[in-house]
């Protein structure tokens, strides 16, 4: 009996190892000098193929222009958190490292600190187009410690409030609408709820399942609008993370109000991993959601080749800037991130990989990409291009928000701080913890993550 | 000698990773955010035991194991096995088919089925509604109970099979003798059957405990450990620390704790078995 069990276990183990080994070699980097592997994220919402549709013809053209080369696209179908994890696991070992990866600027600094990425300074020094890239977006891909550049950004984004003009009109709120304070936003939500209970008045992302979406579109749009402004999460003068601030509690209180007063989607839906897709492709197009704090890319869902083509969006949806807490200067707030192409440190063929970046980010290609993906341009020549500005009626509004936007702290610990924020949001959303309790749990989590001496008490 | 290849395989593929795991647990290794890995002694463990989320996960794991394995699967499996003894052939066949169907499903598939069963617009609420009973938001209000029920549904077949085999070994004369002495069905079960199959009970308890300790896919598919941390058992907590917070060292330390909990349970059961033999 015992021998048989042992044999069974070893056979299983051997099978498992063989399976992993196969998986490993098949995703290994192109060994031939003419092949590169390019990894990007295919969102879980499978109908969203904007990036795949953009890249496929680019690859064809590139292979035609450079005879003998081969570009292998490797989409990773995953939620953003799982995508980062998968990428990091791939980049750990030379046998699995791709040649080119699509990196969120939120995680790029962690990956730089881990030594996963290759500095691109030698390449961009010889690349004349680099001078066209906006300084803020260059800063987002630069290491805070060694000052080198680790990626070429291909878009940025801003965030604001999307609202449904028809629902607003029916509820008796004058459009165009521009709230001055948080209270104005809540007041509008309450008015809509009173006018038609079958409509969800307001969505703000929350909880751990939504990942960075909850932190950035949700919490930080509030937090950076509190008194401390750009220093409310990380005090860049003292170089310390902020804990114990009233602003943090106020932002949590806002979330608590939305969900406890049932101004938002049902809590179990709000905390599901699928909420992002539901908001963009179901609730808004169906006219079931009145307001949503979300990004400039929302029309992605509704354009002709989007996942939920909806031609009426241009006449139905309008945008407003997110106000600061009490209307204090500068009156509005936005967050920006964006994505960049990076070359892993262990890439087998960095030269060809960079050549492909150059090809993907010419003025024409960038303009096409920013228009198709409904993102904000990072090339100055594209940002002022009338064709780009007219590609979507909302491009002008979201491009102008750049003046009052904030970037997240470009530090390795950010990922953990972000998780701590999501946890705090989730516990007040479910009512599991009071605002004070959730805030103090957050303080402890941050102290554990970065060390207590790297924190400072906020006001 | 024929053991040698297996032993080598075991050493390479089982002992090796566990050895690595033990080493990682004492380092601050991260998936991202830090290039260097240092030896940090017992830091990860002291951190865990000071972390309310970890203690919550330990508590939920105990609830899950005791509720779904020791009480649920074990008792229900025994009950089914006893009832099947007397059942007619077709009833036996149908029960077997249903119970074993749940057992052969891959864990993740079972998880999704159970999600469809328990979620708010799911079949359970539809059934409750048609019976004019109040609907519950199972996965939201009582996720750990839903997870326990799901695990009972999935794992009972195993206990049932173990007990069916054991019951076959109970000598018929003993039962008949007890019957002659005027013992009712309960007394026969309690005083004759159970003492005879006590070794199978211990073995079964040990196996279902270990299986349930490591359940991940089922809960992950159903609730992802949420809402909040209301169904965050140790395997889920470990996954989140290692792969969402990128703290490989800390996650591995938790894995090691889980391994120790399993070892502890096994030791207790084995000792109980030993006492029996002496």
């Amino acid at each position: 009996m015992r021998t048989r069990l042992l044999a069974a276990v070893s056979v299983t183990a051997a099978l498992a190892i063989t399976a992993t080994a196969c998986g490993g070699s098949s995703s290994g980097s192109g060994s031939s000098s003419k092949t590169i592997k390019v990894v990007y994220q295919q969102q879980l919402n499978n109908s969203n193929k904007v990036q795949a549709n953009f890249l496929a013809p680019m690859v064809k053209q590139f292979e035609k222009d450079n005879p003998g080369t081969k570009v292998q696209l490797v989409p990773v179908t995953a939620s953003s958190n799982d995508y980062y994890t998968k990428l990091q696991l791939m980049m750990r070992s030379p046998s699995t490292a791709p040649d080119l990866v699509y990196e969120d600027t939120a995680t790029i600094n962690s990956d730089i600190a881990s030594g996963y990425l290759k500095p691109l300074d030698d390449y961009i020094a010889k690349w004349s187009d680099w001078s066209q890239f906006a300084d803020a977006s260059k800063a987002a891909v630069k290491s805070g410690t060694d000052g080198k550049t680790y990626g070429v950004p291909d878009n940025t984004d801003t965030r604001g409030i999307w609202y449904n003009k028809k629902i607003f009109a029916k509820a008796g709120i004058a459009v165009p609408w521009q709230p001055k304070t948080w209270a104005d936003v809540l007041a509008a939500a309450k008015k809509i709820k009173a006018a038609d209970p079958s409509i969800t008045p307001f969505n703000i992302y929350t909880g751990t399942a939504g990942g960075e979406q909850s932190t950035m579109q949700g919490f930080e749009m509030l937090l950076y609008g509190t008194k401390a402004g750009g220093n409310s999460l990380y005090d860049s003068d003292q170089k310390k993370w902020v804990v114990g601030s009233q602003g943090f509690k106020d932002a949590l209180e806002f979330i608590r109000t939305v969900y406890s007063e049932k101004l938002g989607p049902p809590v179990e839906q709000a905390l599901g991993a699928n909420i992002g897709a539901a908001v963009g492709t179901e609730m808004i197009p169906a006219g079931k959601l009145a307001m949503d704090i979300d990004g400039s890319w929302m029309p992605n869902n509704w354009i002709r080749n989007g996942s939920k083509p909806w031609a009426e969006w241009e006449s139905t949806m309008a945008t407003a800037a997110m106000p600061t807490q009490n209307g204090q200067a500068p009156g509005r707030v936005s967050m920006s991130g964006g994505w960049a192409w990076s070359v892993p440190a262990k890439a087998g063929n960095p030269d060809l990989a960079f050549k492909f970046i150059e090809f993907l980010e010419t003025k024409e290609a960038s303009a096409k990409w920013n228009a198709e993906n409904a993102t904000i341009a990072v090339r100055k020549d594209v940002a002022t291009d009338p064709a780009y500005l007219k590609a979507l009626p909302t491009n002008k509004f979201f491009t102008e928000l750049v003046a009052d936007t904030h970037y997240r702290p470009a530090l390795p610990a950010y990922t953990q701080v972000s998780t701590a924020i999501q946890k705090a949001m989730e516990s007040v959303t479910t009512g599991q913890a009071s605002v004070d309790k959730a805030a103090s749990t957050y303080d402890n989590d941050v102290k554990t993550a970065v060390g207590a001496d790297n924190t400072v008490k906020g006001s | 000698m024929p053991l040698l290849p297996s032993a080598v395989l075991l050493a390479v593929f089982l002992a090796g990773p566990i050895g690595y795991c033990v080493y990682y647990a004492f380092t601050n290794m991260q998936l991202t955010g830090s290039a260097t890995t240092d030896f940090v002694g017992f830091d990860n463990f002291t951190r865990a035991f000071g972390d309310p989320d970890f203690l919550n996960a330990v508590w939920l794991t105990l609830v899950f194991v005791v509720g779904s394995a020791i009480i649920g699967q074990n008792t229900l499996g025994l009950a089914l096995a006893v009832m099947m003894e007397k059942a007619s052939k077709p009833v036996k066949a149908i029960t077997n088919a249903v119970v074993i169907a749940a057992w052969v499903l891959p864990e993740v598939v079972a998880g999704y089925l159970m999600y469809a069963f328990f979620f708010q617009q799911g079949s359970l609420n539809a059934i409750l509604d048609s019976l004019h009973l109040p609907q519950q938001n199972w996965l939201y209000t009582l996720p750990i109970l839903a997870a326990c029920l799901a695990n009972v549904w999935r794992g009972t077949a195993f206990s049932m099979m173990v007990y069916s085999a054991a019951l076959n070994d109970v000598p018929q004369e003993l039962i008949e003798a007890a019957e002659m002495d005027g013992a009712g069905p309960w007394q026969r079960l309690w005083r004759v059957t159970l003492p005879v199959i006590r070794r199978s009970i211990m073995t079964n308890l040990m196996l279902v405990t270990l299986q349930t300790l490591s359940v991940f896919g089922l809960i992950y598919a159903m609730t992802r450990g949420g809402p909040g941390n209301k169904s965050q058992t140790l395997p889920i907590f470990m996954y989140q620390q290692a792969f969402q917070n990128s703290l490989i060292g800390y996650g591995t330390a938790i894995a090691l704790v889980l391994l120790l909990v399993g070892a502890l349970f096994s030791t207790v059961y084995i000792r109980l078995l030993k006492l029996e033999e002496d």
Side-chain angles (χ1 to χ4, degrees):
Chain A
M1 174 64 203
R2 179 159 292 175
T3 9
R4 229 192 282 160
L5 186 69
L6 274 182
V9 168
S10 30
V11 166
T12 324
L15 281 177
I17 297 288
T18 330
T20 4
C22 292
S25 65
S26 72
S27 58
S29 73
S31 49
S32 114
S33 64
K34 292 283 197 180
T35 302
I36 52 170
K37 271 190 193 238
V38 178
V39 175
Y40 68 99
Q41 181 194 4
Q42 168 60 51
Q43 287 171 2
L44 286 179
N45 167 17
N46 234 323
S47 47
N48 183 348
K49 291 245 161 60
V50 178
Q51 192 165 20
N53 292 339
F54 169 74
L55 287 174
M58 294 298 284
V59 166
K60 234 179 216 164
Q61 188 59 44
F62 183 77
E63 288 175 345
K64 207 169 142 198
D65 293 354
N66 300 277
T69 58
K70 193 161 163 33
V71 178
Q72 197 182 339
L73 293 177
V74 186
V76 172
T77 307
S79 68
S80 30
N81 270 339
D82 291 340
Y83 174 70
Y84 305 144
T85 305
K86 172 91 180 170
L87 215 54
Q88 283 144 4
L89 287 170
M90 285 172 120
M91 291 190 293
R92 268 186 109 82
S93 139
S95 66
T96 53
D99 299 285
L100 199 55
V101 293
Y102 202 50
E103 281 258 345
D104 189 337
T105 49
T107 54
I108 207 166
N109 265 278
S110 303
D111 288 347
I112 295 170
S114 304
Y116 290 153
L117 301 178
K118 188 180 173 63
L120 301 176
D121 297 65
D122 293 345
Y123 294 106
I124 55 181
K126 287 180 253 162
W127 187 33
S128 56
D129 284 25
W130 186 239
S131 59
Q132 284 295 341
F133 285 75
D135 292 338
S137 63
K138 282 183 183 171
V141 291
K142 205 178 256 187
S143 158
T145 39
D146 66 11
K148 288 182 182 158
T149 296
Y150 287 85
V152 178
D154 75 352
N155 74 75
T156 182
D157 43 35
T158 52
R159 287 148 181 80
I161 306 176
W162 288 91
Y163 66 92
N164 185 312
K165 286 188 277 188
K166 292 178 181 160
I167 301 177
F168 268 58
K170 257 193 228 154
I173 304 171
V175 284
W177 172 73
Q178 176 56 60
K180 299 269 187 311
T181 62
W182 290 1
D184 289 353
V185 177
L186 291 176
K190 284 176 190 162
K191 211 163 174 185
I192 290 157
K193 187 181 162 85
D196 185 351
S198 74
I199 284 175
T200 305
F202 181 56
N203 174 58
I204 178 162
Y205 294 114
T206 183
T208 48
E212 187 59 20
Q213 163 184 275
S214 304
T215 313
M216 199 172 179
Q217 277 90 275
F219 198 77
E220 288 170 352
M221 287 292 283
L222 296 164
L223 185 65
Y224 279 86
T226 59
K227 207 171 59 187
N231 279 342
S232 50
L233 183 62
Y234 178 77
D235 188 323
S236 46
D237 306 324
Q238 302 187 50
K239 301 211 180 305
K240 285 175 197 292
W241 293 90
V242 177
V243 294
S245 75
Q246 187 57 41
F248 192 90
K249 288 185 190 168
D250 291 347
L252 275 183
E253 177 60 31
F254 185 95
I255 302 277
R256 197 196 64 80
T257 308
V258 169
Y259 287 98
S260 69
E261 297 190 10
K262 306 206 183 314
L263 301 173
V267 174
E268 55 276 15
Q269 188 187 10
L271 295 175
N274 203 28
I275 179 73
V279 164
T281 61
E282 294 163 30
M283 298 167 76
I284 290 181
K288 287 286 167 203
L289 179 63
M291 279 184 273
D292 171 38
I293 300 191
D294 225 312
S296 45
W297 59 82
M298 286 303 275
N300 252 343
N301 295 302
W302 311 321
I303 52 180
R304 199 166 38 81
N305 55 355
S307 44
K308 172 77 187 178
W310 179 40
E312 300 84 58
W313 78 269
E314 295 187 25
S315 55
T316 312
M317 298 306 290
T319 46
M322 179 67 190
T324 50
Q325 183 177 8
N326 300 307
Q328 75 272 25
R332 54 184 200 168
V333 58
S334 183
M335 296 296 301
S336 287
W339 288 71
W341 288 106
S342 294
V343 180
K346 294 180 172 144
N349 200 349
D351 295 348
L352 190 61
F354 194 81
K355 201 167 177 191
F356 189 57
I357 297 183
E358 289 181 21
F359 182 74
L360 285 176
E361 303 225 29
T362 59
K363 184 187 172 201
E364 292 70 30
S366 295
K368 183 165 177 267
W369 169 237
N370 290 138
E372 279 181 10
N373 192 31
T375 45
I376 304 304
V378 287
R379 280 185 71 117
K380 296 175 216 160
D381 47 6
V382 175
T384 51
D385 184 345
Y388 155 76
L389 286 173
K390 280 193 208 120
L392 284 174
T394 46
N395 271 1
K396 192 163 171 295
F397 170 81
F398 282 108
T399 305
E400 280 169 3
L401 280 182
V402 170
D404 293 308
T405 200
H406 299 275
Y407 286 85
R408 292 161 288 180
L411 292 160
Y414 176 78
T415 329
Q416 284 177 61
V417 174
S418 170
T419 312
I421 290 178
Q422 292 156 27
K423 228 173 88 184
M425 294 175 92
E426 180 146 341
S427 60
V428 298
T429 304
T430 57
Q432 241 186 341
S434 67
V435 164
D436 285 341
K437 180 81 189 21
S440 76
T441 307
Y442 168 79
D443 292 349
N444 285 333
D445 286 350
V446 173
K447 284 176 194 162
T448 313
V450 303
D453 40 338
N454 288 320
T455 61
V456 59
K457 170 116 178 48
S459 53
Chain B
M1 254 310 125
L3 259 180
L4 191 66
S6 330
V8 169
L9 277 172
L10 268 184
V12 173
F13 295 127
L14 200 66
I18 290 180
Y20 257 119
C21 178
V22 172
Y23 165 69
Y24 288 159
F26 291 93
T27 67
N28 61 357
M29 176 184 271
Q30 296 192 11
L31 188 57
T32 182
S34 157
T36 52
T37 298
D38 305 311
F39 190 78
V40 294
F42 283 93
D43 277 12
N44 286 326
F45 295 93
T46 42
R47 172 175 178 176
F49 284 99
D51 183 345
D53 280 337
F54 171 79
L55 300 176
N56 171 66
V58 171
W59 166 242
L60 286 178
T61 308
L62 288 178
V63 169
F64 186 61
V65 168
V66 172
S68 74
I70 298 182
I71 298 176
Q73 292 181 1
N74 184 55
T75 322
L76 191 62
L78 178 62
L80 280 173
V82 169
M83 287 189 288
M84 298 264 283
E85 281 239 287
K86 296 271 154 62
S88 63
K89 266 224 164 113
V91 174
K92 238 184 209 176
I94 293 170
T95 319
N96 258 326
V98 170
V99 176
I100 292 174
W103 168 246
V104 296
L105 280 180
E107 195 182 1
V108 174
V109 178
Y112 276 104
L113 279 179
M114 286 287 102
Y115 172 78
F117 182 67
F118 280 111
F119 94 115
Q120 210 176 6
Q121 286 83 34
S123 24
L124 179 56
N125 274 342
I127 296 168
L128 286 178
D129 196 41
S130 65
L131 297 173
H132 302 287
L133 289 169
Q135 297 193 5
Q136 296 292 322
N137 193 349
W138 300 92
L139 295 177
Y140 182 66
T141 42
L142 275 171
I144 193 70
L145 177 67
C148 279
L149 291 175
N151 193 44
V152 169
W153 171 77
R154 182 178 135 73
T156 299
F158 181 79
S159 297
M160 189 187 85
M161 288 186 284
V162 169
Y163 287 130
S164 291
L167 288 178
N168 276 335
D169 293 344
V170 178
Q172 204 54 38
E173 310 89 82
L174 266 182
I175 305 271
E176 278 162 14
E179 225 166 344
M180 298 290 262
D181 292 342
W186 279 114
Q187 276 184 311
R188 289 205 299 273
L189 177 70
W190 193 249
R191 298 187 178 232
V192 182
T193 313
L194 289 187
V196 174
I197 63 166
R198 59 189 186 273
R199 296 203 55 192
S200 303
I201 297 179
M202 284 301 157
T203 316
N204 184 56
L205 276 176
M206 176 155 93
L207 291 174
V208 295
T209 301
L210 294 181
Q211 277 163 9
T212 302
L213 264 183
S214 61
V215 165
F216 174 82
L218 189 72
I219 302 182
Y220 196 75
M222 285 175 71
T223 65
R224 297 196 167 222
N229 53 14
K230 279 164 72 190
S231 57
Q232 195 175 49
T233 56
L234 275 175
I236 304 249
F237 182 67
M238 173 179 87
Y239 171 81
Q240 285 175 342
Q241 291 300 331
F243 295 112
Q244 278 170 13
N245 274 354
S246 305
L247 302 173
I248 299 283
Y250 187 40
T252 335
I254 296 161
L256 215 57
V257 172
L258 190 63
L259 200 70
L260 288 178
V261 174
L264 202 74
F265 268 108
S266 317
T267 322
V268 170
Y269 290 135
I270 289 172
R271 278 207 70 97
L272 284 174
L273 270 178
K274 273 255 162 65
L275 285 180
E276 284 278 308
E277 279 169 8
D278 293 342

